[in-house]
Amino acid sequence: MATPLGGLIRPCGPVIDIGAAERAHERLAEAASEDGSVGDVETAWPALEPVFAASPYLAGLATRAPERLHRLLSRSPEASLADVLKRVEARSTDAEIEATESRLRRLKGDLHLLVALSDLGGVWRLGEVTGALTRFADGVVQAALRVAAHEAHARGRLAVVGEGPEGPIPGLFVIGMGKLGAFELNYSSDIDLIVFYEPDTIPAAGATEPRSVAIRATERVASLLQTRTPEGYVFRVDLRLRPDPASTPSAVPTAEAFGYYESVGQNWERAAFIKARAVAGDIPRGEAFLAELRPFIWRRNLDFAAIADIHSIKRQIHVHKVDDRLTAAGADLKLGRGGIREIEFFVQTQQLILGGRHPALRSARTLEALDALAAAGQVDASDAAELAAAYGTLRGLEHRVQMVDDEQTHRLPTDENGRRRVGALAGYGDLRSFDSDVARVLRGVNKRYGALFAGEEPLSSRHGSLIFTGVDDDAETLQTLTRMGFAVPVRVSGAIRAWHHGRIGPTRTERGRELLTRLAPRLLEAAAATGAPDAAFARFADFFTRLTSGIQVQSLFLAQPALLALVVRIMAFAPRFAVTLARHSGALDALLDPDFFAPIKPPPKLARQLAEADGFEVAMDLARRARREHAFRVAVQVLEGVASAEAAGAAFADLADALIAGLAAAALAEVERTFGPFDGEVAVIALGKCGSREMTAQSDLDLMTLYQPRTADAVSDTAGLSADTYFARFTQRLLAALSVYTAEGGLYEVDLQLRPSGTKGPVAVSLAAFEGYYKADAETWELLALTRARLVWSTSDRFSNVARRAVETALRRPREAPRTGRDVNAMRALMAAERPPSGFWDMKLSDGGLVDIEFAAQHLQLVHAGQGGPLAANTGEALAALLRAGLAAAGPLNALIEAWALQQTLSQLLKIALEDDHDPESEPKALRALLAKAGGARDFRSLKRRLSAVRKRALAASRALIS
């Protein structure tokens, strides 16, 4: 006859709470006096006393139901377990559903007390403890599924409740994952379940969809097991290991599951399925499902990238020495350094790599797999022995931590009294010895774990662990992201985990996901280094998620870490930069040019390439690609401090010149092809920022076309068009070439309103009309605009010279200074009324801003040009020439020069980095620091003070000079 449990258990440790033990004893004695049913408690009391003193939870289980304790003590543990499992498996009719729920909760109490006493009393070893917990979990999941099936049948949703091996709902099966699947369930564990079903097999009734039956049954099982009542709960249920849980229902059709695992299944999911087991429902179909999934789990052929990704399951865990010390106080026995997860990952990573070719290594149970690895020579025998012993110790401590209050915790208490309780349950009478032994075990595990992949590429950060596998945000990873400076770590972690699920183009392939594993920590380090990690990551994410395929880009960043750092750094400063890359990732190719940071020069042969392109549309697309790449280079050089604002303005203008010249030639060729050649000449004149070579990344083009027929009655050869019609066609095609959006995007906004008569005049201006207009009809504001005129392209050198002379002649006509001054002031006042500045950072329209400085320079040029004064399209050059010529007081001119230089510099940076409506004060500190540095200020606040001061002086100078 088997020995009763009461005669087997041994005292587990010292009594650390005499009061608690006495109260438990009194309540048990009181119950015994009432019905005489617990007399054998006295015999077992020396073993029970330390347990109830250390564990309020176990004391409560015993004292609330003394008959439960008597029943367990009077039988063998094997008999008690068999009785519990038999009662779990008892079938329920429709009318007994509520009774079943209550029964399962009471049986959980029976099982917990049985397992605890058998474990703490040294009756059961670890395998027997976890086996009992697992078998009970299997039974209650099946029982809960029967309840769900009976409810569905009673409501007319299920035609029949299955009674055979197909389970209560034929075609639906439950896969146990993790410790449940491996028969390693811990004392106070949740259970990881995935529910799959075959729609054609489920006997849905009437119009009910099998999908609805499966989902409702799954949710009912979870609710029944984890809902808390006065009797407690049975198990916490986690359904999130199913395929892509954020976008799939709680039960998944098998066909969809196979499609998911074959296309976007990840290596961490392969690792999870090592422990998978059919635990309830249609078990034969569940086993067949796992057999069919075996090629996904156990790949025979692995390349370097796949092995690196598998290794990453371990290598993402960082050996962090700041606040995760290897001491017993507060140690996380499961997830911390030297903990259970390190042993499991030590085993699972090698199983994934080797198990495809060696079936003997595929055991779901950690200790069996460790033994198999040692037998196969893949793990040193002494390492395997130490890890196995540590695993047993840590799992035992994990159970004791959970037995104290039935909490799902794996962390040893930080307070000494709390650890004394756990130590007492583990048989320790001395806290110092307990702490010392725990620390020794943790150090031993961590040492062997750390040596497993020594010398390989780190996938964590110097700030801590970076783990993006699984379905939950890793707690240590969130702490790491916080230390890296991210304000909302959950957002960052969630984004990267979503990428790993293959929800974006770059990670839809297995190769893309494996590359992301290596890229993610580098990306986060680069973002943290910018000083604006949230902005940098968000803008990189916008770029990354727009890519249709990211293998080449990820490979490029991995091969060129400096390139990744540069791109991420500039993204932190420049939202416009990020948008450009998001829409046109090919711009990255320019960064690989070894001359990328060389002094900026006009794109060689660009104008000729456009003029000679195979078709007008081809030329338009080529122009847009060229502008994007060259403007990208200019922007990066400015943001990196390699190019000055003056050089950038000239570079943007050089680019525009080349594009205008090439597209003008292409437009003329297109007109000639359609309407025949014309005996005449045409030129394109730039005004505004392009004319003055002060362009920014966002500048538009102010243009004017001048033409001259060789004879008064000239017409086109084919269509017989007159000169004004012919060159209007040319101007319209040029306008389209420069402004129309194509598949390659846009080029420039183009404005022709500065031509004579503005919108009321013809789009193309004859030379004679130009000369006559500026001689007799032009207003002062038109002459101011003309000071920035610059010839960009012409059909001949001769006509270029003619056009230039016409412009200069118009400007050098004598002006009445007072009248000109009044006109300029009136125009500025009107502009101030109609176009007020958008804010402090409006460099153009603010008082003392660029418009005031330009008006002053243009006014001085106009009033002195008639006497041979200097003419220069560029504002800075004009002010310097006026100063050298002594045509105005040096003080006001120097004030204008200083204000112009500062605001041009800031304008270049702001136009590169931000959209027009963005305020730099709301941008990351890193951008503000860049602006301050460019503006020669100590910090952003000092920059604002300096800008206000120079504007004030410039406004006073402008008013003094315009009179």
Side-chain angles (χ1 to χ4, degrees):
M1 181 177 178
T3 304
L5 177 61
L8 294 174
I9 58 175
R10 303 186 303 273
C12 64
V15 179
I16 62 168
D17 187 342
I18 298 295
E22 289 177 346
R23 287 190 296 274
H25 190 264
E26 289 171 1
R27 292 188 63 182
L28 290 168
E30 183 179 335
S33 65
E34 293 177 358
D35 59 14
S37 63
V38 291
D40 48 2
V41 170
E42 296 301 325
T43 303
W45 184 248
L48 299 176
E49 186 178 26
V51 172
F52 296 155
S55 170
Y57 171 63
L58 295 176
L61 288 177
T63 57
R64 283 194 301 271
E67 70 283 0
R68 167 189 286 155
L69 178 62
H70 169 72
R71 186 169 60 250
L72 295 177
L73 293 175
S74 62
R75 299 180 182 177
S76 72
E78 292 74 20
S80 292
L81 177 60
D83 178 62
V84 168
L85 297 178
K86 181 179 179 181
R87 286 187 285 157
V88 166
E89 294 169 1
R91 301 301 173 102
S92 303
T93 65
D94 292 356
E96 297 172 336
I97 288 173
E98 187 174 342
T100 298
E101 296 186 44
S102 177
R103 173 165 51 86
L104 293 179
R105 285 167 173 76
R106 291 196 305 273
L107 289 173
K108 185 255 184 109
D110 289 357
L111 181 88
H112 262 202
L113 191 57
L114 169 64
V115 169
L117 296 181
S118 299
D119 183 1
L120 298 173
V123 179
W124 281 349
R125 293 171 298 180
L126 176 62
E128 294 168 303
V129 169
T130 58
L133 292 165
T134 301
R135 291 170 65 190
F136 177 75
D138 287 359
V140 299
V141 172
Q142 184 77 338
L145 187 59
R146 281 198 300 271
V147 169
H150 279 287
E151 288 180 341
H153 180 261
R155 292 171 182 168
R157 301 175 59 83
L158 190 67
V160 63
V161 176
E163 297 293 339
E166 72 278 4
I169 304 177
L172 181 146
F173 54 89
V174 183
I175 301 296
M177 306 291 286
K179 289 182 168 57
L180 172 63
F183 269 88
E184 296 173 344
L185 205 61
N186 59 43
Y187 189 76
S188 184
S189 176
D190 59 2
I191 52 177
D192 295 300
L193 306 177
I194 309 180
V195 179
F196 298 105
Y197 67 96
E198 295 180 2
D200 294 341
T201 307
I202 289 182
T208 304
E209 292 288 335
R211 178 179 185 273
S212 176
V213 173
I215 292 173
R216 292 197 178 193
T218 301
E219 292 171 351
R220 181 65 178 109
V221 167
S223 172
L224 188 153
L225 295 180
Q226 64 190 5
T227 297
R228 290 181 179 270
T229 72
E231 295 177 301
Y233 69 100
V234 188
F235 281 104
R236 291 171 292 267
V237 177
D238 194 337
L239 299 169
R240 292 171 299 169
L241 287 180
R242 68 185 184 273
D244 198 3
S247 59
T248 56
S250 54
V252 182
T254 54
E256 290 183 17
F258 286 126
Y260 170 86
Y261 292 122
E262 290 171 1
S263 60
V264 296
Q266 300 176 62
N267 278 317
W268 71 264
E269 290 173 298
R270 294 176 56 215
F273 267 97
I274 292 175
K275 295 179 178 293
R277 178 173 60 88
V279 299
D282 196 334
I283 300 288
R285 280 192 169 83
E287 291 173 343
F289 173 86
L290 291 176
E292 192 170 348
L293 200 62
R294 197 171 293 139
F296 163 72
I297 306 169
W298 304 109
R299 288 171 55 186
R300 290 183 59 82
N301 299 306
L302 297 167
D303 60 14
F304 171 80
I307 293 174
D309 190 58
I310 292 169
H311 283 184
S312 77
I313 297 174
K314 175 265 168 191
R315 287 184 288 124
Q316 288 170 316
I317 302 174
H318 176 73
V319 180
H320 187 56
K321 298 182 180 179
V322 176
D323 57 6
D324 190 18
R325 295 163 295 176
L326 287 176
T327 60
D332 191 323
L333 300 170
K334 177 181 179 181
L335 304 178
R337 290 172 58 215
I340 296 166
R341 184 173 66 172
E342 290 193 352
I343 300 173
E344 292 173 337
F345 281 5
F346 182 100
V347 172
Q348 288 171 355
T349 52
Q350 293 174 92
Q351 283 184 287
L352 286 180
I353 294 169
L354 302 168
R357 294 182 176 274
H358 303 285
L361 304 179
R362 298 178 183 177
S363 173
R365 308 196 71 170
T366 301
L367 293 181
E368 290 179 2
L370 188 58
D371 287 343
L373 287 166
Q378 300 296 332
V379 174
D380 183 82
S382 62
D383 287 348
E386 180 170 348
L387 289 174
Y391 182 81
T393 298
L394 293 171
R395 289 301 310 272
L397 290 174
E398 177 186 44
H399 289 169
R400 281 146 182 78
V401 169
Q402 294 171 347
M403 287 173 187
V404 173
D405 285 308
D406 189 30
E407 293 181 348
Q408 189 189 11
T409 180
H410 312 277
R411 192 176 292 275
L412 287 173
T414 54
D415 64 288
E416 293 187 354
N417 286 335
R419 287 202 310 289
R420 281 195 182 94
R421 286 180 180 274
V422 178
L425 292 176
Y428 283 85
D430 176 62
L431 181 62
R432 179 176 297 180
S433 298
F434 174 74
D435 284 352
S436 175
D437 286 353
V438 170
R440 177 181 50 78
V441 171
L442 296 176
R443 285 194 295 268
V445 170
N446 189 246
K447 178 181 177 181
R448 281 156 178 76
Y449 180 68
L452 181 61
F453 304 113
E456 294 194 1
E457 175 187 5
L459 293 179
S460 63
S461 161
R462 60 188 175 86
H463 298 280
S465 297
L466 290 173
I467 302 171
F468 301 105
T469 55
V471 295
D472 281 327
D473 291 314
D474 178 74
E476 290 186 24
T477 297
L478 297 181
Q479 294 173 7
T480 300
L481 293 171
T482 299
R483 286 191 287 267
M484 296 175 85
F486 290 95
V488 189
V490 173
R491 185 181 303 160
V492 176
S493 176
I496 295 176
R497 288 193 300 102
W499 297 348
H500 272 293
H501 274 287
R503 296 176 189 160
I504 59 173
T507 59
R508 287 204 177 98
T509 65
E510 188 169 47
R511 174 70 172 171
R513 294 189 295 277
E514 290 166 351
L515 290 172
L516 176 62
T517 298
R518 298 175 58 210
L519 181 66
R522 299 187 187 190
L523 164 62
L524 295 171
E525 287 281 10
T530 68
D534 290 291
F537 179 81
R539 290 163 186 168
F540 184 92
D542 184 50
F543 151 72
F544 192 59
T545 55
R546 289 173 184 254
L547 296 175
T548 54
S549 174
I551 291 178
Q552 290 182 331
V553 170
Q554 291 192 82
S555 299
L556 175 62
F557 284 147
L558 288 168
Q560 302 273 353
L563 174 63
L564 174 65
L566 171 64
V567 168
V568 173
R569 181 168 64 251
I570 297 177
M571 282 182 169
F573 302 153
R576 293 191 73 251
F577 174 96
V579 170
T580 297
L581 280 182
R583 294 174 180 167
H584 308 285
S585 60
L588 283 173
D589 295 339
L591 288 168
L592 300 178
D593 186 342
D595 295 327
F596 184 82
F597 285 105
I600 305 171
K601 298 177 182 179
K605 302 179 181 178
L606 175 58
R608 180 183 298 176
Q609 291 172 350
L610 295 174
E612 298 175 354
D614 186 17
F616 193 49
E617 288 76 14
V618 173
M620 291 169 65
D621 283 341
L622 176 59
R624 282 148 180 77
R625 288 194 297 271
R627 191 231 179 179
R628 186 166 58 241
E629 292 174 6
H630 191 68
F632 178 80
R633 180 182 175 197
V634 176
V636 172
Q637 288 207 21
V638 171
L639 289 168
E640 287 291 283
V642 176
S644 66
E646 185 177 4
F652 282 126
D654 287 339
L655 174 62
D657 288 358
L659 293 170
I660 293 168
L663 290 174
L668 184 59
E670 181 72 2
V671 173
E672 289 177 342
R673 184 185 65 79
T674 305
F675 304 109
F678 190 91
D679 189 16
E681 300 204 73
V682 65
V684 180
I685 293 175
L687 301 103
K689 293 285 188 183
C690 182
S692 64
R693 294 174 61 78
E694 299 167 1
M695 292 186 74
T696 68
Q698 299 183 47
S699 291
D700 57 11
L701 297 180
D702 292 292
L703 299 179
M704 181 191 306
T705 57
L706 287 183
Y707 68 89
Q708 184 181 44
R710 295 192 188 278
T711 61
D713 57 352
V715 294
S716 62
D717 288 358
T718 302
L721 299 181
S722 63
D724 57 348
T725 304
Y726 189 88
F727 288 109
R729 298 284 191 273
F730 159 76
T731 303
Q732 289 162 351
R733 277 166 173 72
L734 175 60
L735 177 64
L738 291 169
S739 61
V740 167
Y741 273 73
T742 74
E744 291 291 338
L747 199 57
Y748 294 105
E749 294 291 327
V750 181
D751 193 342
L752 301 177
Q753 295 186 61
L754 293 181
R755 69 187 186 274
S757 301
T759 56
K760 297 178 181 178
V763 294
V765 182
S766 71
L767 181 63
F770 176 89
E771 292 173 331
Y773 184 84
Y774 280 99
K775 183 177 181 179
D777 301 319
E779 297 183 23
T780 299
W781 71 267
E782 292 174 295
L783 291 164
L784 293 178
L786 198 64
T787 63
R788 305 171 83 174
R790 182 172 59 85
L791 189 132
V792 176
W793 173 86
S794 175
T795 48
S796 73
D797 291 341
R798 184 202 69 81
F799 192 59
S800 295
N801 293 329
V802 170
R804 289 191 186 99
R805 282 196 302 271
V807 171
E808 185 169 357
T809 298
L811 292 173
R812 289 202 179 278
R813 288 192 176 91
R815 309 288 168 198
E816 183 183 341
R819 178 182 174 183
T820 303
R822 287 193 299 271
D823 289 348
V824 172
N825 284 327
M827 184 167 58
R828 182 65 182 103
L830 179 63
M831 181 179 288
E834 294 185 349
R835 296 176 60 194
S838 59
F840 178 81
W841 295 99
D842 189 332
M843 300 296 159
K844 180 178 180 179
L845 298 174
S846 294
D847 287 344
L850 294 174
V851 164
D852 282 324
I853 300 168
E854 290 164 359
F855 274 18
Q858 292 161 11
H859 167 262
L860 290 174
Q861 289 184 90
L862 278 184
V863 299
H864 293 292
Q867 294 80 42
L871 287 174
N874 181 272
T875 304
E877 293 174 4
L879 291 169
L882 291 164
L883 180 63
R884 289 193 299 270
L887 295 176
L893 285 176
N894 282 323
L896 294 179
I897 290 171
E898 180 187 11
W900 182 83
L902 174 61
Q903 292 182 96
Q904 275 291 106
T905 297
L906 297 177
S907 180
Q908 282 290 359
L909 270 174
L910 290 171
K911 295 294 186 182
I912 286 171
L914 305 177
E915 301 293 346
D916 279 334
D917 59 346
H918 284 210
D919 185 344
E921 306 218 21
S922 64
E923 288 297 313
K925 182 179 179 181
L927 176 59
R928 301 198 301 271
L930 182 66
L931 286 168
K933 180 180 179 182
R938 183 178 66 256
D939 53 34
F940 191 65
R941 184 176 298 177
S942 300
L943 175 67
K944 292 182 67 177
R945 288 197 297 268
R946 184 188 172 205
L947 182 55
S948 296
V950 298
R951 280 177 174 170
K952 184 176 181 181
R953 291 193 292 271
L955 182 62
S958 175
R959 288 173 175 171
L961 293 171
I962 302 173
S963 58

